[in-house]
Amino acid sequence: MYLASVGPLRTPLRRVPGNVVALGIVSLVTDVSAEMVTAILPLYLVFGLGLNPLQFGLLDGLYAGATAVLRLVGGHVADRWRRLKTVAGIGYALSAISKLGFLAAGSTVPAIGAVLAIDRAGKGIRTAPRDALISLSGPPETMGRSFGVHRALDTVGAFLGPLVATAVLWASLNDYNSVFVTSFCLAACAVILLTTFVRDRTPPPSPAPTQLPVFGLLRDRDFRRCCFWAAALGLFTITDSFVYLAVQRRWDITTSLFPLLPLGTAGTFLLLAVPLGRLGDRIGRWKVFLAGHLTLVLALLLICGPTGAWWLVLALHGTFYAATDGVLPAAVGPLLPEHLRASGLAVLQTGQALARMAAAVTVGLLWTLWDLRPAILAITLALLTVTIAAAILKPLEVRR
């Protein structure tokens, strides 16, 4: 039985299609698996293997950017085959299998980098088809709510992942391999859930005799401007791992508590994803998207400033994700034809992924050359400048 067959849910997720909830549950389980690894990875690489900030930045950039090209591949193939669920399933399966690669990689940094690339490749393949499924499962006027509900369920997994990782490490006496095996089992369960409960949404065939090139979508002025500004903002968006490392250093948090730092981000994201998605539906999604970047600016300034609290930084970090992660595809989705929805979202996400890969390397380099505080201040000033420019030029206000 598909969850989608029960129709729109009335409470507590009123007017949210069942297919969106099914995809959210798949993402929930997947994120428990993924965040188990993400929570311990900076600890393992920096404190366990002794990587310096530049080396960690290179690996973190690989982790953020390995999805880039394959997002385009996943989106294009899903649209061409008109099999969104199948392509998304391949991505989920690839990420699941990669978890076993950590067992073979051991402490070899190049091998760990290869495993991270495979894991992120799976994410790159699945993201655009999954988001296209969400956008095609309900009416455009409630798309912000649908993405908000999906991201909220996804964030439940992000919240549980560090807790599960901490529990597994405690039970296994700090055996990292136990975390990787548990992560694989959960990821495999997510693939089964996708296959069993999610209903595919077949996009209409292309009106042209041949499929349009992916980058032909950039001929649309509004879509092109959105892609440009999303990538420009991503170029100065500090990745999660660096935020947690900066918080740990700023407030001298013990390494035993480090894996729990993502809980502050995930908890806030969980609380605000649906309200901010609905707010975007009402007042304009681009406004909410830019406001989210301003909260990230504030969080980074607190890290560098003489006052502040680590919990406030994490709360602002979670607010940033709640205002951006689902809001952006909800804003851009209506600009794209249905038969190229996955391809268009892939183009958008590829620009972000490449930009954030560059951001991770830049932060690692500046941290190595200048130390933590001046590096973050430089990136924060650049992010604030780009955010103000995007707000003035308003690339997406005519159509929500």
Side-chain angles (χ1 to χ4, degrees):
M1 174 182 178
Y2 292 110
L3 287 180
S5 65
V6 302
L9 301 183
R10 299 300 174 187
T11 52
L13 307 176
R14 183 167 56 91
R15 291 188 294 169
V16 176
N19 213 39
V20 173
V21 178
L23 285 163
I25 294 172
V26 172
S27 292
L28 186 158
V29 178
T30 300
D31 245 36
V32 175
S33 167
E35 293 302 321
M36 287 180 65
V37 176
T38 301
I40 67 170
L41 202 60
L43 185 70
Y44 179 59
L45 294 176
V46 175
F47 297 100
L49 301 184
L51 269 64
N52 62 42
L54 178 57
Q55 291 172 318
F56 179 76
L58 291 171
L59 276 181
D60 196 39
L62 175 66
Y63 191 70
T67 66
V69 175
L70 286 176
R71 286 177 190 262
L72 294 175
V73 173
H76 178 72
V77 170
D79 282 336
R80 192 169 185 84
W81 289 356
R82 301 174 65 206
R83 294 289 185 271
L84 301 177
K85 175 180 170 180
T86 300
V87 177
I90 292 171
Y92 279 108
L94 188 60
S95 290
I97 294 171
S98 73
K99 302 300 189 296
L100 297 178
F102 286 104
L103 301 177
S107 59
T108 305
V109 175
I112 292 174
V115 173
L116 290 176
I118 295 172
D119 177 52
R120 294 297 88 184
K123 181 176 176 61
I125 290 172
R126 71 177 182 255
T127 299
R130 182 204 65 200
D131 284 352
L133 276 172
I134 295 170
S135 70
L136 293 171
S137 294
E141 61 269 18
T142 61
M143 202 174 294
R145 186 201 312 269
S146 292
F147 274 98
V149 167
H150 174 269
R151 295 313 198 252
L153 290 170
D154 181 272
T155 306
V156 171
F159 188 86
L160 294 175
L163 292 176
V164 176
T166 303
V168 171
L169 282 176
W170 176 81
S172 64
L173 302 178
N174 292 323
D175 181 10
Y176 287 99
N177 286 341
S178 298
V179 175
F180 300 140
V181 171
T182 306
S183 176
F184 164 75
C185 294
L186 289 169
C189 289
V191 176
I192 295 172
L193 288 171
L194 176 77
T195 304
T196 307
F197 294 111
V198 174
R199 174 173 291 174
D200 206 357
R201 299 292 184 190
T202 304
S206 171
T210 58
Q211 190 81 0
L212 289 175
V214 170
F215 289 104
L217 293 165
L218 295 172
R219 295 169 186 166
D220 181 273
R221 178 176 176 270
D222 287 338
F223 177 65
R224 183 174 65 250
R225 294 179 70 192
C226 287
C227 289
F228 171 80
W229 286 108
L233 289 164
L235 194 61
F236 304 105
T237 299
I238 296 180
T239 56
D240 297 357
S241 296
F242 272 117
V243 170
Y244 300 139
L245 286 172
V247 168
Q248 187 275 334
R249 177 170 171 178
R250 169 66 174 80
W251 283 278
D252 196 25
I253 295 172
T254 62
T255 56
S256 61
L257 296 178
F258 183 88
L260 299 179
L261 290 179
L263 295 182
T265 298
T268 308
F269 191 172
L270 177 61
L271 292 174
L272 296 180
V274 175
L276 291 180
R278 296 179 64 183
L279 181 64
D281 289 340
R282 290 198 300 269
I283 71 171
R285 294 159 188 157
W286 192 256
K287 294 176 183 176
V288 175
F289 178 71
L290 293 180
H293 284 82
L294 291 178
T295 63
L296 179 60
V297 168
L298 182 56
L300 297 176
L301 290 176
L302 288 176
I303 291 176
C304 299
T307 61
W310 60 266
W311 57 267
L312 181 57
V313 171
L314 297 179
L316 290 169
H317 192 227
T319 303
F320 158 71
Y321 274 112
T324 58
D325 192 57
V327 171
L328 181 61
V332 176
L335 302 178
L336 301 166
E338 290 187 353
H339 65 280
L340 291 174
R341 187 69 54 83
S343 298
L345 291 175
V347 171
L348 175 73
Q349 294 159 355
T350 295
Q352 279 190 306
L354 290 173
R356 291 185 178 182
M357 176 177 66
V361 176
T362 301
V363 173
L365 176 62
L366 294 180
W367 191 336
T368 302
L369 295 176
W370 298 347
D371 201 26
L372 171 63
R373 188 172 181 273
I376 292 183
L377 281 175
I379 292 294
T380 302
L381 179 61
L383 177 61
L384 178 60
T385 302
V386 176
T387 303
I388 293 173
I392 293 172
L393 295 177
K394 298 179 181 178
L396 184 62
E397 288 296 327
V398 177
R399 288 182 282 178
R400 294 179 184 175

